[in-house]
């Protein structure tokens, strides 16, 4: 036990009157909120994580599969377990900037991601899409990436609605390994 901590939960009143809810604290999310690992500008050498990830090993970069023009990588801040992204190697911001082979492989990788997620986790459905530009919600607007988020019937529960927290049942490294093993050839 850390110094100054007790085994009894501390009453957290928050702002205003107590509301009867217990809090599930997720301090690791603060890195995302504060913009850790976000690019400092639009150029590839401005700290773009999607440009640096392919230089890492698959395990260190959480890369599920590599293609000629694109790669599939797990999201560090997933909306659901198995949430991955299909990312072109080339540093482009807009979907219209992709060439024909990049567009085709992005589509094929998206289909393969769905197949792998169904095989590995029995996903019932998917949210698939990309946010184009910061105004549309792109966390990293300078480098195009398509989200593939697996969904299951009944996967919306009280945690995200009331607690604004997702419970992920598996470490990202284990999810990466599991998906890479079932990735279609």
């Amino acid at each position: 036990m850390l110094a100054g901590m007790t085994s009894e939960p501390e009453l957290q009143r928050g702002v205003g009157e107590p509301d009867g809810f217990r809090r599930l604290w997720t301090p690791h999310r603060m890195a995302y909120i504060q913009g850790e690992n976000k690019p400092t500008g639009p150029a590839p050498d401005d700290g773009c994580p999607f440009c640096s990830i392919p230089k890492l090993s698959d395990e260190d970069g959480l890369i599920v599969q590599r293609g000629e023009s694109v790669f599939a990588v797990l999201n560090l801040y997933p909306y659901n377990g198995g949430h991955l992204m299909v990312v072109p190697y080339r540093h482009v911001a807009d979907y219209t900037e992709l060439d024909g082979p990049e567009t085709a492989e992005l589509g094929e990788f998206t289909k393969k991601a769905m197949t792998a997620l169904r095989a590995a986790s029995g996903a019932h459905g998917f949210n698939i899409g990309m946010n184009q530009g910061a105004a549309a919600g792109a966390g990293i607007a300078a480098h195009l990436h398509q989200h593939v988020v697996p969904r299951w019937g009944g996967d919306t529960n009280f945690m995200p609605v009331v607690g604004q927290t997702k419970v992920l049942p598996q470490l990202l490294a284990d999810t990466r390994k599991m998906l890479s093993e079932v990735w279609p050839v």
Side-chain angles (χ1 to χ4, degrees), residues 6-7 9 11 14 20 28 36 52 61 64 69 71 77-78 86-87 95 110 112 130 137 140 143 150 176 180 184:
T6 68
S7 60
L11 179 61
H28 61 279
E36 186 175 299
S52 62
V64 176
S69 302
F71 62 98
Y77 309 102
V86 180
V87 184
Y95 184 69
T110 300
K112 289 180 178 188
M130 55 183 88
I140 299 174
H143 198 132
R176 188 215 66 80
S180 67

Side-chain angles (χ1 to χ4, degrees), residues 85-140:
M85 297 169 293
V86 180
V87 184
Y89 291 111
R90 194 162 60 93
H91 187 84
V92 297
D94 197 85
Y95 184 69
T96 62
E97 295 177 57
L98 293 179
D99 63 23
E102 289 168 328
T103 303
E105 192 172 37
L106 186 129
E108 281 302 312
F109 259 56
T110 300
K111 289 168 46 176
K112 289 180 178 188
M114 293 170 66
T115 300
L117 285 161
R118 282 188 181 120
S121 65
H124 298 149
F126 298 89
N127 292 119
I128 297 173
M130 55 183 88
N131 302 321
Q132 295 284 271
I140 299 174

Side-chain angles (χ1 to χ4, degrees), residues 34-173:
Q34 293 177 334
E36 186 175 299
N37 296 323
K38 278 212 173 179
T40 57
D45 57 354
D46 288 336
C48 177
F50 296 134
C51 288
S52 62
I53 288 170
K55 298 171 188 168
L56 302 172
S57 70
D58 290 355
E59 293 76 15
D60 290 340
L62 295 174
I63 296 172
V64 176
Q65 190 63 246
R66 295 174 189 257
E68 293 292 320
S69 302
V70 303
F71 62 98
V73 61
L74 287 180
N75 191 322
L76 276 179
Y77 309 102
Y79 299 136
N80 251 355
H83 176 179
L84 57 80
M85 297 169 293
V86 180
V87 184
Y89 291 111
R90 194 162 60 93
H91 187 84
V92 297
D94 197 85
Y95 184 69
T96 62
E97 295 177 57
L98 293 179
D99 63 23
E102 289 168 328
T103 303
E105 192 172 37
L106 186 129
E108 281 302 312
F109 259 56
T110 300
K111 289 168 46 176
K112 289 180 178 188
M114 293 170 66
T115 300
L117 285 161
R118 282 188 181 120
S121 65
H124 298 149
F126 298 89
N127 292 119
I128 297 173
M130 55 183 88
N131 302 321
Q132 295 284 271
I140 299 174
H143 198 132
L144 176 87
H145 53 284
Q146 177 154 277
H147 295 264
V148 181
V149 183
R151 301 301 303 268
W152 296 268
D155 70 1
T156 329
N157 58 41
F158 76 94
M159 291 299 284
V161 175
V162 174
Q164 297 179 341
T165 300
K166 276 285 188 179
V167 177
L168 302 171
Q170 189 175 46
L171 295 172
L172 291 176

